[in-house]
């Protein structure tokens, strides 16, 4: 028999029977109120436990149902769902069925993040520093109908590289002016010195190269390098004099412009997203293209391969030329993983 709480309190207060009686305590014909209270408490706890068990069972059943639906979709069951949706749409033509939002799925990484509403993802663009294998990159892109670098302009190599289009938006000719290094080829000028910068908002990449080997490559450059017979062209004294004069003391436009001028702006803020290395170009380039979902690939064909008559290399640079390169390309050595050649102070 269950006793109301008020009656329990009244009887407990009226009697001298302790609430917790031992076995030797004097018995009474009255209902022991403390036992009724414990019984009620036990019943309440039992109901709560039962509710918890029922809730757990329901959650398990929901999980099993969701797993079953997932298996049916994976096995092609989504076709039935699509058919049911089409049948419903046919019977109710004025009702619009909306797809569920993918915000949670995107947050969990289940679907690729989508561009903000009203914006489209701009294509990847290439910034071409001289003597870094950039022409091979542009030619490989042109094979897939993508214009990079010189293919944006009416360049001498436009037809040789089979550039895809002479119309906007891929064609920049007449739409851009240089604010610095005026007179140089626009595709070799860092875009931060374009007006307007048509690559603004695009993800960009460029290629860097060891300053010493790049200087030698500039010397043998068939466009703006040393001009003369092979006997003088392969004279170390001529090479060192030409590098010091034409690349460092009186640089010719953007020829041998330090890579830091491409990757960083005048406030030392990085403005290029991805930096590749000429020394490992094929592997790094192909990895980038795969990550961007682009079909462009480079093979193992050598980049900027010289003719057999180009015989000089970094080992032929004099200490004087090396010191000038160290000073001229100081920011390249500071920003990138190239070690300068140092000398002991005597």
């Amino acid at each position: 028999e269950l006793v109301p709480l008020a009656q329990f309190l009244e009887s407990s207060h009226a009697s001298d029977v302790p609430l917790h009686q031992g076995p030797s305590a004097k018995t009474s014909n009255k209902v022991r109120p403390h036992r009724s209270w414990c019984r009620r408490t036990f019943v309440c706890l039992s109901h709560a436990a039962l509710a918890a068990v029922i809730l757990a069972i329901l959650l398990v059943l929901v999980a099993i149902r969701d797993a079953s639906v997932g298996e049916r979709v994976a096995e092609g069951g989504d076709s039935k769902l699509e058919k049911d949706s089409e049948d419903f749409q046919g019977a109710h033509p004025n009702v619009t069925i909306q797809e569920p939002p993918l915000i949670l799925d995107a947050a969990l990484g289940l679907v690729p993040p989508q561009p903000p509403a009203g914006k489209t993802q701009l294509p990847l663009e290439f910034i071409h520093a001289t003597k870094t294998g950039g022409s091979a990159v542009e030619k490989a892109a042109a094979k897939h109908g993508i214009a990079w670098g010189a293919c944006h302009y009416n360049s001498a190599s436009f037809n040789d590289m089979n550039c895809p289009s002479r119309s906007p938006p891929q064609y920049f000719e007449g739409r851009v002016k240089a604010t610095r290094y005026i007179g140089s080829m626009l595709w070799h000028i860092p875009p931060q010195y374009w007006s307007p910068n048509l690559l603004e908002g695009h993800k960009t990449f460029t290629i860097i190269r060891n300053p010493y080997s790049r200087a030698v490559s500039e010397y043998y450059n068939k466009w703006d390098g040393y001009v003369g017979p092979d006997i003088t062209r392969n004279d170390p004294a001529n090479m060192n004099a030409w590098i010091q004069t034409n690349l460092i003391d009186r640089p010719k436009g953007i020829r041998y412009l330090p890579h830091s001028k491409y990757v960083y702006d005048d406030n030392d803020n990085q403005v290029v997203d991805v930096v590749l290395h000429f020394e490992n170009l094929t592997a790094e380039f192909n990895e980038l293209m795969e990550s961007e979902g682009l079909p462009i690939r480079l093979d193992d064909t050598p980049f900027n391969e010289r003719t057999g008559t180009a015989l000089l290399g970094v080992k032929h640079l004099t200490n004087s030329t090396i010191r000038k390169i160290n000073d001229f390309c100081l920011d390249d050595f500071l920003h990138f993983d190239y070690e300068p050649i140092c000398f002991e102070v005597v």
Side-chain angles (χ1 to χ4, degrees):
E1 181 182 355
L2 298 179
V3 179
L5 179 59
Q7 180 180 345
F8 160 70
L9 293 175
E10 181 180 356
S11 59
S12 176
H13 178 73
S15 69
D16 294 328
V17 179
L19 190 61
H20 299 286
Q21 300 186 48
S24 61
K26 188 176 181 179
T27 60
S28 171
N29 294 328
K30 295 181 179 180
V31 176
R32 299 179 185 273
H34 67 281
R35 291 183 178 177
S36 300
W37 176 255
C38 292
R39 186 185 306 165
R40 169 175 287 185
T41 303
F42 174 76
V43 170
C44 293
L45 291 176
S46 299
H47 290 171
L50 179 60
V53 171
I54 294 174
L55 178 60
I57 293 173
L58 290 175
L59 291 176
V60 171
L61 291 176
V62 170
I64 294 174
R65 183 204 63 183
D66 291 344
S68 177
V69 171
E71 291 176 359
R72 290 200 305 270
V73 171
E75 294 173 358
D78 54 346
S79 60
K80 182 179 184 304
L81 296 177
E82 292 175 0
K83 184 178 184 302
D84 292 343
S85 177
E86 292 174 359
D87 292 344
F88 177 86
Q89 192 69 59
H92 304 82
N94 295 326
V95 177
T96 301
I97 300 177
Q98 296 182 346
E99 293 293 332
L102 296 178
I103 297 175
L104 179 60
D105 286 346
L108 296 175
L110 300 179
V111 296
Q114 303 299 314
K119 294 186 179 180
T120 57
Q121 186 173 355
L122 298 176
L124 182 70
E125 285 285 353
F126 172 54
I127 298 175
H128 186 171
T130 60
K131 307 311 295 179
T132 58
S135 296
V137 168
E138 293 164 356
K139 188 173 183 178
K143 291 180 180 179
H144 296 275
I146 297 176
W148 282 343
C151 280
H152 283 312
Y153 300 92
N154 188 27
S155 65
S157 55
F158 190 97
N159 293 327
D160 293 339
M161 293 193 298
N162 295 316
C163 293
S165 175
R166 288 185 184 271
S167 60
Q170 294 198 84
Y171 198 54
F172 292 178
E173 188 70 33
R175 302 168 57 202
V176 176
K177 292 183 179 180
T179 61
R180 194 179 297 186
Y181 309 110
I182 298 172
S184 299
M185 291 171 285
L186 279 164
W187 58 92
H188 285 315
I189 298 176
Q192 57 182 307
Y193 303 126
W194 293 1
S195 178
N197 181 359
L198 296 181
L199 301 189
E200 187 74 31
H202 290 257
K203 183 176 181 178
T204 56
F205 74 100
T206 192
I207 306 167
I208 63 174
R209 183 176 183 176
N210 185 295
Y212 304 119
S213 64
R214 186 181 175 208
V216 175
S217 184
E218 291 282 8
Y219 172 71
Y220 282 115
N221 181 10
K222 64 180 180 180
W223 301 106
D224 296 310
Y226 176 83
V227 178
D230 288 345
I231 190 172
T232 58
R233 195 165 69 118
N234 290 315
D235 182 345
N238 283 337
M239 181 183 74
N240 283 276
W242 187 93
I243 290 175
Q244 292 188 34
T245 301
N246 294 280
L247 297 184
I248 298 174
D249 295 339
R250 296 193 300 274
K252 301 169 64 175
I254 45 77
R255 283 293 169 193
Y256 201 59
L257 186 68
H259 290 305
S260 54
K261 293 290 186 182
Y262 290 89
V263 180
Y264 298 89
D265 64 15
D266 293 336
N267 296 318
D268 209 32
N269 299 312
Q270 184 167 338
V271 292
V272 174
D273 298 288
V274 181
V275 176
L276 308 181
H277 299 81
F278 174 84
E279 294 77 13
N280 191 35
L281 181 55
T282 298
E284 292 182 11
F285 177 83
N286 290 345
E287 182 179 352
L288 174 62
M289 294 302 103
E290 183 175 357
S291 68
E292 293 294 321
L294 294 174
I296 311 167
R297 297 292 185 271
L298 293 176
D299 55 28
D300 294 327
T301 303
F303 308 106
N304 290 331
E305 187 176 21
R306 302 184 209 157
T307 63
T309 59
L311 305 179
L312 302 179
V314 173
K315 65 181 180 180
H316 297 101
L317 297 175
T318 64
N319 291 351
S320 175
T321 300
I322 290 174
R323 287 191 178 96
K324 283 182 175 287
I325 291 175
N326 289 350
D327 291 339
F328 188 75
C329 298
L330 176 62
D331 286 340
D332 283 9
F333 291 113
L334 293 176
H335 283 298
F336 310 119
D337 51 353
Y338 293 114
E339 291 291 333
I341 299 175
C342 301
F343 305 95
E344 294 183 2
V345 177
V346 180

